[in-house]
Amino acid sequence: MFVLGIDPGLSRCGYGCLEHGRKPRAVAAGVIRTDPKLDRPIRLAELQRELRDLIAELKPDVVAVERVLFQTNVSTAMGVGMASGLAMAEAASVGCDVVEYSPNEIKHAVAGWGGAGKDEVGAMVQTLLGLPKRLSPADAADAVAVALCHLARVPSRRTSASMKRVGGMVG
Amino acid sequence: MFVLGIDPGLSRCGYGCLEHGRKPRAVAAGVIRTDPKLDRPIRLAELQRELRDLIAELKPDVVAVERVLFQTNVSTAMGVGMASGLAMAEAASVGCDVVEYSPNEIKHAVAGWGGAGKDEVGAMVQTLLGLPKRLSPADAADAVAVALCHLARVPSRRTSASMKRVGGMVG
């Protein structure tokens, strides 16, 4: 099973794809950027095309998206919401399951508490995936954290079987 | 020149297409609905597909979208923002010019003042287009108002020529 995590944004949209197994394996991680100097419709069209290509290439079973909250980053929240909407529409239109997780749920699942900072999340992503160094930029690590949150949350048959075998999904 | 106005929304997304001429002519108007009982990603994918089909069918030169403001309808603003983002991305991806107008700009252009209510806007849309009765539902009339706002605002060459001939674009 492949899970694609998305940390939505219009200037920087993080993505991280994990393959589920005894230990989750990072398949791809990175950031889609659009140029803030361009008009918003052009940037949205570019992001849409990049997301579509990414989903076509990675063929995830599940796309997990960080939920956009109104309370934070009011000035950028609308662009983030639009990016999130594009990701969900592209994923659902090709038959992926789509789930949303709040920032707190993601931080809790990955770092053990909902108030974890970006630095803690980055360190835990590195540890959980057994990477030689931290994922960079932070948006890519954040997107991987969304995918890890999904793997930790979903009691799928395959997950349950793995957990019986190895005593835990990621370690 | 064809202008497609969009009054974005996830439950109800109004659209109204006008042909520019001595007097603007309504080519199409209506509402795209998605079922609130379905999951949001499915609804976004449906709306995306409908908007894509609509733009492919009507082939507008310009897509004018009502700008989503944070101050109003906080509970639904994110869904409205996502719908707006889908419309702008679909339009820009096929080469349409995309413009956004605030609710106040639209009401001012159509009804003469920014505080006009839905009823006044509906009545003015009927008058300006010389329709035998009001457009229904209101979301369709609101979308036509967005397109009328664009025609009133843009001093395109063709618009200027028409204005010289007839002394006004819509009258």
Side-chain angles (χ1 to χ4, degrees):
Chain A
M1 180 176 73
F2 289 86
V3 179
L4 176 62
I6 298 283
D7 178 28
L10 189 52
S11 294
R12 298 186 313 279
C13 183
Y15 67 89
C17 187
L18 300 180
E19 183 181 18
H20 177 57
R22 271 179 45 193
K23 192 178 172 94
R25 184 176 71 87
V27 177
V31 175
I32 301 167
R33 296 173 194 273
T34 69
D35 185 349
K37 289 194 221 98
L38 296 175
D39 287 340
R40 188 157 69 169
I42 300 290
R43 299 172 70 193
L44 289 165
E46 281 185 6
L47 178 60
Q48 182 185 47
R49 189 171 54 244
E50 294 283 344
L51 286 167
R52 189 176 302 162
D53 291 350
L54 191 70
I55 291 169
E57 185 188 328
L58 296 170
K59 298 184 177 55
D61 302 282
V62 178
V63 175
V65 183
E66 180 166 332
R67 191 186 298 280
V68 185
L69 299 182
F70 260 105
Q71 290 80 348
T72 55
N73 303 321
V74 171
S75 62
T76 59
M78 195 50 80
V80 178
M82 289 177 179
S84 165
L86 290 178
M88 291 195 281
E90 288 300 324
S93 70
V94 294
C96 299
D97 285 336
V98 182
V99 285
E100 286 183 274
Y101 295 106
S102 73
N104 272 19
E105 285 175 310
I106 295 161
K107 287 185 263 188
H108 195 277
V110 173
W113 68 299
K118 270 192 179 291
D119 207 48
E120 283 173 89
V121 169
M124 285 305 293
V125 164
Q126 180 187 2
T127 303
L128 291 170
L129 295 179
L131 300 173
K133 58 175 187 170
R134 289 217 191 163
L135 277 175
S136 173
D139 306 273
D142 287 347
V144 168
V146 185
L148 282 168
C149 175
H150 179 71
L151 291 181
R153 288 296 196 101
V154 173
S156 74
R157 286 200 188 87
R158 273 173 289 188
T159 306
S160 304
S162 303
M163 288 178 77
K164 275 178 210 155
R165 270 205 311 278
V166 302
M169 202 168 40
V170 290
Chain B
M1 181 176 72
F2 289 86
V3 178
L4 176 62
I6 298 284
D7 178 28
L10 189 51
S11 294
R12 299 185 313 279
C13 183
Y15 66 89
C17 188
L18 300 180
E19 184 181 19
H20 177 57
R22 272 178 44 192
K23 192 178 171 96
R25 183 176 71 86
V27 176
V31 176
I32 301 167
R33 296 173 194 271
T34 69
D35 185 348
K37 290 194 219 99
L38 296 176
D39 288 341
R40 187 156 69 168
I42 300 289
R43 299 171 70 192
L44 289 165
E46 281 185 6
L47 177 60
Q48 182 185 47
R49 190 172 53 244
E50 294 282 344
L51 286 167
R52 189 176 302 163
D53 291 350
L54 190 70
I55 291 168
E57 185 187 328
L58 296 171
K59 297 182 178 55
D61 302 280
V62 178
V63 175
V65 183
E66 180 166 331
R67 190 186 300 278
V68 184
L69 299 182
F70 260 105
Q71 289 79 350
T72 55
N73 303 320
V74 170
S75 63
T76 59
M78 194 50 80
V80 178
M82 289 178 180
S84 164
L86 290 178
M88 290 195 281
E90 288 300 326
S93 70
V94 294
C96 298
D97 285 336
V98 182
V99 284
E100 287 182 273
Y101 295 106
S102 72
N104 272 20
E105 286 175 310
I106 295 161
K107 287 184 264 189
H108 196 277
V110 173
W113 68 300
K118 270 193 178 291
D119 207 49
E120 283 174 89
V121 169
M124 284 306 292
V125 164
Q126 180 187 4
T127 303
L128 291 169
L129 295 178
L131 300 174
K133 57 176 188 170
R134 288 217 192 163
L135 276 176
S136 173
D139 306 273
D142 287 346
V144 168
V146 185
L148 282 167
C149 176
H150 179 71
L151 291 181
R153 288 293 195 104
V154 173
S156 74
R157 286 199 188 88
R158 273 173 289 188
T159 305
S160 304
S162 302
M163 289 177 77
K164 276 178 210 154
R165 270 204 312 277
V166 304
M169 201 168 41
V170 290

